[in-house]
Each structure stands twice: as structure tokens, then as C-alpha cells.
Amino acid sequence: MKGKFITFEGCEGSGKSTQVALFREYLESNNIDYIFTREPGGNQIAEKIRQIILDVNNSDMTDECEALLYAAARAQHISQTILPALNEGKLVLCDRYIDSSFAYQAYARGLGLDFIKKVNSFAISNCMPDYTVFLDISSTEAFKRKGGQDKDDRLEQVGLAFHEKVYEGYKKVIESDPSRFLVINCKGAKHETHQNIINALKEKKVLP
Ligand code: TYD
């Protein structure tokens, strides 16, 4: 039987990395057979593409080039890592996936959903997540929650206006595909958020 494909998405500052780590601990302590992977990246070739995309020296990369590189990394990631694991019946947990391209490239960068869908449908050949956990907090709210102290991080470098667009983009994507998304309240303590994620996945029978 084919395994389940679960992705985590959220804005910068949403606590996604912490929640992914807590979720992995949960899977391990419950002996659930899974692989963890991430985007951009996930295997040797895709990680090389990641280095090009995230290299701060490549600040003159065009939005179009960036979008195509994300899709190229994804194509490699799917065929070499994600599909083989799903075919072995494993749960695949992926930190970011196609919805990041919808929110960041289509909406926030303004490349449009049609273009990003076209490029990605070529890259992913129908391999969509069964469920996507979305940590529902905007970067502005997350930044305020931290007391506005993160002066050096990427959030500040790119600007909150961009991240607001990312959040709006996610909201539109969720509206267009509501049954796939598990929209998680993450405004409380991190263990409460973790429990909200577990409860939502149990309800969908992804977890026993
Ligand atoms: P990363 O350091 O992994 O950030 P995070 O901890 O927030 O996941 O960097 C990934 C960055 O790449 C993040 O800013 C979102 C961006 N991204 C896109 O713009 N489009 C995509 O398709 C993907 C997968 C990521």
C-alpha cells in the first residue's frame, strides 16, 4: 500500500522548524516508519540547487529563474526520494513543498498562479500531498510575538510586506483546496500547537 505524504507549511517565524522537530520525535517514539525530507533540497542534486537558490551572493537572480530552480529541485526530489519512499509504504514528512511555490513565487513574487502551476505540474506529475499542515500565523504576528527582537534574520532583510503577501498567498491556496489543508492554531504554547497537529492528523487517520 502506498504511504502517506504529509507536508508542513508556514510563514517565516511561524515555528515550523520547532513543530517539525516535535512531530519527528512523536513519530519516532511511536515507532512509525517514516522518512523526513525538506524543500528546497532533500537529496544530493536538489541540495545543490538549494545552495544556488539560497546563496546570498545570488541576489540578482530573477524571480523566473528562482521559480524554475525550485521546480527543478522538486522534480529531482520527487523521483529520487519521495516516490520511492511512498511506494515502500512509508510515511513521507516534507518540510515545505509545492504550496511554498504557490505562496512565495506565485503570490508574493507576483509570478501568477497559472505559470507556477504549469511549471510545477511538469515537475511533480500529480504527486500532491495527502495532507498539508499549515501553521496559521502571519510573519507580522510571529514577529510581534517575539517582541520584535529578530533584527538580523531574513524576515527583516526581505521586509514584512513581502511576508504579509506570503501569508495572504497561503490563505488563497487553502481556500482553493480546503480538504487537503489542516489549518493549525499555533498562537499558544509550542506543546499546545504540537497537540493540535497530532489531533488533526489522528482525525484524518494518518496517525493511529
Ligand atoms: P529555509 O531555510 O528552509 O526556511 P524555513 O525554515 O522557513 O523553511 O529556506 C527555505 C526558503 O525557501 C523559505 O524562505 C521559503 C523559500 N521557498 C520558496 O520561496 N519556494 C519554494 O517552493 C520553497 C520550497 C521554499
Side-chain angles (χ1 to χ4, degrees):
M1 203 181 78
K2 215 166 174 238
K4 291 274 184 237
F5 183 19
I6 306 300
T7 58
F8 274 49
E9 296 279 355
C11 293
E12 244 105 339
S14 63
K16 181 170 58 59
S17 306
T18 305
Q19 291 306 325
V20 166
L22 288 173
F23 186 56
R24 291 182 68 185
E25 278 172 25
Y26 177 92
L27 293 174
E28 273 151 40
S29 57
N30 286 277
N31 293 318
I32 295 170
D33 197 13
Y34 81 104
I35 65 152
F36 169 69
T37 189
R38 67 162 181 185
E39 288 207 348
N43 59 41
Q44 212 184 356
I45 295 171
E47 288 288 334
K48 281 189 181 163
I49 299 175
R50 176 190 176 94
Q51 282 169 17
I52 298 172
I53 301 172
L54 299 181
D55 185 341
V56 285
N57 295 314
N58 287 341
S59 58
D60 50 0
M61 182 183 288
T62 67
D63 293 346
E64 289 77 5
C65 175
E66 186 195 57
L68 292 167
L69 286 177
Y70 279 120
R74 186 161 297 134
Q76 188 67 29
H77 189 206
I78 287 165
S79 64
Q80 204 183 355
T81 306
I82 296 176
L83 279 180
L86 290 174
N87 289 335
E88 283 172 23
K90 288 185 177 152
L91 188 153
V92 173
L93 168 63
C94 188
D95 185 350
R96 294 195 182 279
Y97 188 63
I98 194 167
D99 299 303
S100 287
S101 283
F102 293 149
Y104 285 77
Q105 278 67 54
Y107 287 101
R109 297 267 187 233
L111 293 176
L113 203 52
D114 282 353
F115 171 69
I116 296 299
K117 273 193 172 161
K118 234 179 252 164
V119 167
N120 275 279
S121 67
F122 176 64
I124 74 164
S125 47
N126 289 331
C127 183
M128 285 298 282
D130 292 294
Y131 292 105
T132 297
V133 169
F134 176 66
L135 296 169
D136 190 9
I137 187 167
S138 71
S139 291
T140 309
E141 280 175 279
F143 190 58
K144 280 192 195 138
R145 178 166 71 172
K146 281 189 187 166
Q149 279 166 5
D150 258 4
K151 293 258 183 299
D152 295 331
D153 74 4
R154 233 181 358 223
L155 212 77
E156 272 292 274
Q157 285 172 21
V158 191
L160 281 176
F162 175 81
H163 290 288
E164 274 309 302
K165 284 196 212 156
V166 171
Y167 184 65
E168 281 164 29
Y170 272 126
K171 286 286 158 137
K172 288 198 179 121
V173 178
I174 293 166
E175 257 170 48
S176 72
D177 195 1
S179 58
R180 176 165 62 85
F181 280 93
L182 306 174
V183 178
I184 302 294
N185 177 345
C186 61
K187 291 171 191 165
K190 65 183 177 189
H191 281 94
E192 278 165 24
T193 302
H194 172 65
Q195 201 51 54
N196 293 340
I197 294 170
I198 300 299
N199 292 346
L201 287 167
K202 279 189 172 171
E203 206 170 293
K204 296 294 180 191
K205 311 261 181 271
V206 173
L207 297 175

